Each structure stands twice: as C-alpha cells, then as structure tokens.
Amino acid sequence: MTLEQLLNYLEAHLPESVLDGTPEQTLRKSQTDEHASPLMGDIIRRMAEGAGCASVEDTLDRASAINSLGPLRLEYMADDAPVDGFRTLEFLVRAVDGAFNQEALKAQAKTD
C-alpha cells in the first residue's frame, strides 16, 4: 500500500481529519511541523520515517506503520498524557489495521 492510499483511507475512516491539503501537502506539512493537527502531523511523520517513505507514492507495510508509532503510543499511555491523544492513537492503529486487512482481502479476491 502506498502512503497516499493509507492517508486517504485514514481520512475516510477516522473521526479526526488526517489530511491537511492533498496527501503530498499533508506529508510535507508533517515533516516541517506545519500540519494543522500537531499530533496527526507527528503520527504521519513517524509512519513515513519508519517506513522510509520520502513521498506519498512510496509503499509501506503494516508492521512498519504500526511499529513506528510504538514510542508515541507509550508517551500517550503515561498517567499525565492527554486522554484525547491516547484515543486518537488507538483509533488510528485500528484504522491502519483495517486498511491493510482491506488491501489483503482485495488481493486475495483477485487471485481467487
């Protein structure tokens, strides 16, 4: 799955907005700390870096997307962390899983 596909899927399946402009603009804003949502910008930047994505056309896999969020998830599990941030991360992780599950089902249907 490309980073662009994942961002578009997350935009459609999360209550919070993921995109800040086009997917390409969103990636650039996340890399320069200019994303409208600082948390979402941090999430996108970490996923892109964790997967080695320099552009939205680059591919990433489920493991790199989820693993790149591990340190951030730990930060939001702290007693003094904002609950909204923790909830956003939990919804997002489930949505990332959903995106890759959907992609796997589509690929399987093509081979059947």
Side-chain angles (χ1 to χ4, degrees):
M1 167 176 292
T2 66
L3 180 57
E4 180 174 19
Q5 290 170 320
L6 180 59
L7 292 176
N8 285 326
Y9 181 92
L10 295 174
E11 178 70 19
H13 291 87
L14 288 175
E16 182 177 341
S17 184
V18 173
L19 296 177
D20 188 359
T22 66
E24 183 68 34
Q25 290 168 332
T26 299
L27 177 60
R28 295 295 162 234
K29 288 178 182 180
S30 72
Q31 293 169 328
T32 58
D33 294 327
E34 296 176 55
H35 193 285
S37 165
L39 175 57
M40 196 57 68
D42 194 18
I43 289 168
I44 295 165
R45 181 185 52 75
R46 287 174 187 248
M47 284 195 303
E49 286 176 359
C53 294
S55 83
V56 294
E57 288 87 25
D58 292 337
T59 60
L60 71 163
D61 60 27
R62 180 192 317 242
S64 62
I66 299 296
N67 289 341
S68 65
L69 299 177
L72 188 59
R73 290 175 79 190
L74 288 175
E75 287 176 32
Y76 278 91
M77 288 177 163
D79 290 338
D80 59 344
V83 174
D84 289 344
F86 177 75
R87 285 188 186 125
T88 296
L89 276 164
E90 290 306 301
F91 283 132
L92 185 121
V93 167
R94 285 194 292 271
V96 169
D97 277 338
F100 283 98
N101 288 345
Q102 187 175 42
E103 182 183 54
L105 289 172
K106 284 180 184 177
Q108 184 178 8
K110 288 180 183 179
T111 62
D112 290 344

